[in-house]
Amino acid sequence: MSSVQDLFEPISFQRGPQWKNRFMLAPLTNQQSHPNGLLSEDEFRWLTMRAQGGFGLTMTCAAHVAAQGQGFPGQLGIFADDHLAGLTRLAAEIRRHGSVSSVQLHHAGNRSPKDLVGEPLCPSDDPETGARAFTGEEVEGLVESFAAAAVRAERAGFDGVEIHGAHGYVIAQFLSPELNRREDRWGGSVENRARLLFEIIDAIRARTRADFQLGLRLSPERFGLKLAEIREVTQEVLRQGKIDYLDMSLWDVAKEPVEEEFKGRKLASYFSELDRGPVKLGAAGKIMTPAEAAALLAGGYDFAVIGRAAILHHDFPEKARDAAFQPVARPVSPAHLEAEGLSPAFVDYMRNWPGFVEAA
C-alpha cells in the first residue's frame, strides 16, 4: 500500500531529467493566450505559479502545432517561430523553480471551430462538423507539424513534450473506427488507424536530442473509441519503449469502464496491468486529495496527474505533505481563483464546469 510519503519520492525516466516528486500538472485548457498563439502574461503567471507550487512536472495547456488545428480561442501556439520568445521565457522560469517542463502538442482535427480555422480537417469527411478529410499529403504534413513543434519546444529550452492523443482530438479521431473510414494506410485495421500516432512518435524521436523527454496522453473511452483497441495500441506503444511516460486521462480514476463487458473493476486497472518495461505510467481523473493520489500509486501507477486540485491550489503538491489535506470547497469565488493565478478569461472558462465557480 502506498502512503502519501511515496508521492514525494523522485521518479527517473529512460530519457530526460528526474522529477522531484510524483505530481504532474495536467495540461489544462484555459483560453488565456493571445489570438495569434503568443504566450500571454496571464498564461506565464498561471504556469510559473504551479512550478513554484512544487509540481514535479509542469505541463503547458494543449499548444496547437498547426494554425488549422486550433481547438479553442486564446490557445497557446507552437506552430511558428514567432512563438519561440515567449516559450523560451516560460521554460527558463519553470526550470528556475525546480520543476521539469513540457509542452503538450495538440491538433483539434474536426473539433477546430470553423470561425477560428475556416475548414476543419478530419480523418474522413464529417458532415456533422463540416470537416473534410485530410489528403494523404496532408496526413504526412500533420506528422511533420508535430515533429517541428517538438523541435521548437526543444529550442525553447523545454525538457520534453507530450503528444495529445486523447479526448477526441486528431490522433483519437484517427484511432476511432467511427470517425476514421479511410481506405489508405491510415484507415481500416486498428494497426492502420494507429499508424499516425506511431509516425508522430518516430518523427519526434528522430528530430530531437537523445535525452528529450517524450510523453503521450491517451483516453480509452468516448469519441468512438473502443477500450480493447486502445489497450492493444497502448501495449504496442509501451513495447516499443520510445516514449518515457504514458499519461492516461480517465475522467475519474475510480470509475469502471462504460463498456458492459469490461465492468466489474476499475478502468485504471486495465492499463496498470500492461507490461510497460521502463515507461512510467500516470493517470488523471478527479484526484483531489493526497489520499486519492496515494491510492493511484497503490494501484500500480507511478505518478498522479492533477487538474482541478491544481486550479484550486497552485501549491497542491506542497499542501499534500499533510495527508489529511482537503481542497477548498466548491463553488469558489472568482477572487480565490484570481489569487491562485487564474486570469479573468480563465475564471470565465471555469464557469463551464458545473458547480466550480460561484455564480456571478
Side-chain angles (χ1 to χ4, degrees):
M1 193 68 186
S2 290
S3 72
V4 166
Q5 285 320 111
D6 294 331
L7 294 164
F8 295 92
E9 288 297 315
I11 178 171
S12 295
F13 298 84
Q14 289 186 88
R15 306 168 191 87
Q18 187 182 68
W19 304 355
K20 64 185 174 186
N21 60 36
R22 306 303 174 109
F23 294 106
M24 167 178 150
L25 176 67
L28 291 160
T29 299
N30 55 56
Q31 301 191 353
Q32 59 184 3
S33 283
H34 293 299
N36 56 5
L38 291 180
L39 181 83
S40 66
E41 283 301 317
D42 289 335
E43 183 75 344
F44 179 82
R45 176 172 180 248
W46 146 258
L47 286 166
T48 56
M49 275 181 76
R50 269 77 207 154
Q52 200 172 358
F55 279 90
L57 176 77
T58 301
M59 176 82 63
T60 69
C61 63
H64 52 311
V65 301
Q68 199 168 18
Q70 187 174 354
F72 41 88
Q75 184 175 9
L76 183 64
I78 191 165
F79 59 85
D81 287 351
D82 295 356
H83 300 131
L84 277 168
L87 292 168
T88 301
R89 178 175 166 236
L90 177 61
E93 188 67 5
I94 290 172
R95 177 172 287 118
R96 196 171 76 78
H97 292 299
S99 184
V100 175
S101 60
S102 182
V103 180
Q104 193 192 47
L105 305 182
H106 169 259
H107 188 297
N110 71 356
R111 299 188 67 192
S112 293
K114 277 184 161 174
D115 61 339
L116 289 179
V117 306
E119 183 177 48
L121 297 172
C122 192
S124 304
D125 289 337
D126 182 27
E128 197 179 317
T129 58
R132 73 157 172 84
F134 284 91
T135 64
E137 202 176 335
E138 285 170 336
V139 179
E140 289 169 355
L142 181 60
V143 175
E144 169 57 27
S145 296
F146 274 90
V151 169
R152 247 176 231 116
E154 184 182 44
R155 281 172 61 198
F158 281 87
D159 296 305
V161 293
E162 177 181 89
I163 299 164
H164 195 342
H167 303 171
Y169 293 116
V170 81
I171 292 169
Q173 288 161 31
F174 272 83
L175 289 168
S176 163
E178 285 175 24
L179 285 166
N180 183 350
R181 301 176 305 282
R182 299 178 75 91
E183 293 176 356
D184 60 7
R185 63 195 180 100
W186 295 286
S189 66
V190 65
E191 185 186 352
N192 280 0
R193 285 182 277 117
R195 190 180 303 278
L196 174 71
L197 171 60
F198 288 97
E199 288 179 342
I200 289 170
I201 292 170
D202 286 347
I204 291 174
R205 273 280 160 247
R207 299 267 294 277
T208 54
R209 65 177 188 269
D211 67 341
F212 195 62
Q213 201 165 74
L214 181 57
L216 169 65
R217 171 166 265 210
L218 291 174
S219 51
E221 296 184 329
R222 306 184 187 177
F223 303 107
L225 299 177
K226 299 283 176 218
L227 177 55
E229 287 191 350
I230 298 302
R231 274 191 82 209
E232 186 185 333
V233 171
T234 303
Q235 183 61 82
E236 181 57 21
V237 170
L238 296 171
R239 188 195 68 74
Q240 291 189 13
K242 292 174 184 173
I243 65 166
D244 300 301
Y245 61 89
L246 178 66
D247 157 21
M248 293 303 303
S249 186
L250 302 178
W251 320 105
D252 180 342
V253 293
K255 79 186 281 296
E256 290 189 8
V258 292
E259 291 174 56
E260 208 53 52
E261 67 270 33
F262 293 104
K263 285 190 185 299
R265 51 186 272 210
K266 287 181 182 177
L267 178 58
S269 70
Y270 285 97
F271 295 90
S272 59
E273 70 184 11
L274 296 177
D275 176 11
R276 60 181 183 265
V279 179
K280 299 298 194 283
L281 179 66
K286 299 187 178 170
I287 301 168
M288 298 297 292
T289 65
E292 287 165 350
L296 183 72
L297 266 56
Y301 281 71
D302 298 302
F303 62 93
V305 184
I306 309 295
R308 288 161 208 245
I311 293 173
L312 294 168
H313 299 283
H314 76 281
D315 56 350
F316 178 81
E318 289 306 315
K319 287 192 160 51
R321 290 182 186 279
D322 172 5
F325 174 72
Q326 294 283 332
V328 62
R330 275 90 59 218
V332 291
S333 68
H336 171 85
L337 293 174
E338 285 173 17
E340 289 296 332
L342 281 74
S343 68
F346 196 171
V347 173
D348 267 354
Y349 179 76
M350 292 312 301
R351 292 186 189 281
N352 298 323
W353 294 28
F356 201 90
V357 186
E358 282 174 6

